Amino acid sequence: GYTLIELMVAVSLFAIVMMLASGSYVMMISISRQAQGMASGIDNLSFALETMVRDIRTGSNYCNGLVNCTGSSFSFTNESKKIVTYSLSSSSAIQKLMDSVQNDLTDSSSVKITFLNFYAFGTALTPSDTTQARVTIIIKGIVSPDKNPQNFTIETSATMRGSDIGT
């Protein structure tokens, strides 16, 4: 048999080992939740960026025919002949305006956009224009702004699918 002292020592050691293991388990769950939150924010941003690039590629009449334009909002005519404007909303989200309807493309609880700028080149609608229209988009912000915030900067470009040279 076992004595009472041996049993108490064994139970105490077991309790200490289980406490250490459960602390590690709780910490791993917390890290997993942070990673899921960050992945959700990145997925949200990726969806918004892909939506913008797809619309811009298939669009036309960038910046209403100005030679080159730069700014925090960007307007063009989409393939359905409707005017679309992308901009940064007051709630730090990327916003799409079409047919007087505003939609936030990003969720400000998972991604906070702090900077959005468009650089459009070759957008003039004149016969002397020999540059294919292209738009560069720069986005800066914070993923998971509430828990473990991570800064990011993304830059991408979109070139008009159809040629607008010499139209």
Side-chain angles (χ1 to χ4, degrees):
Y2 296 106
T3 65
L4 182 60
I5 294 176
E6 289 174 326
L7 188 59
M8 288 178 57
V9 168
V11 168
S12 298
L13 285 174
F14 177 76
I16 290 171
V17 169
M18 289 309 293
M19 199 168 20
L20 291 175
S22 65
S24 298
Y25 182 70
V26 168
M27 188 168 57
M28 293 207 22
I29 288 174
S30 173
I31 291 170
S32 174
R33 285 186 182 153
Q34 287 178 354
Q36 285 177 341
M38 194 170 297
S40 173
I42 290 170
D43 287 346
N44 186 269
L45 180 64
S46 179
F47 170 75
L49 196 57
E50 285 299 317
T51 299
M52 288 187 340
V53 168
R54 183 182 59 244
D55 283 351
I56 291 170
R57 277 192 183 130
T58 58
S60 63
N61 196 21
Y62 297 168
C63 304
N64 298 318
L66 297 174
V67 177
N68 295 319
C69 65
T70 301
S72 59
S73 67
F74 184 71
S75 294
F76 61 96
T77 305
N78 70 3
E79 63 185 339
S80 302
K81 306 298 183 211
K82 295 179 181 179
I83 296 175
V84 176
T85 302
Y86 287 107
S87 62
L88 183 60
S89 73
S90 59
S91 63
S92 299
I94 297 174
Q95 179 177 302
K96 179 179 182 178
L97 173 65
M98 185 172 72
D99 289 338
S100 301
V101 176
Q102 289 181 336
N103 291 320
D104 285 348
L105 296 180
T106 56
D107 177 23
S108 57
S109 66
S110 63
V111 178
K112 181 179 178 184
I113 306 298
T114 57
F115 178 82
L116 173 66
N117 218 2
F118 298 90
Y119 300 92
F121 304 98
T123 58
L125 298 175
T126 62
S128 62
D129 177 24
T130 59
T131 305
Q132 178 66 15
R134 74 181 190 286
V135 179
T136 300
I137 306 165
I138 299 176
I139 303 172
K140 294 181 183 180
I142 303 168
V143 176
S144 300
D146 298 332
K147 299 176 185 174
N148 193 24
Q150 297 291 320
N151 293 325
F152 68 86
T153 301
I154 295 176
E155 180 177 331
T156 190
S157 293
T159 303
M160 185 187 294
R161 273 196 186 151
S163 175
D164 73 335
I165 297 174
T167 54

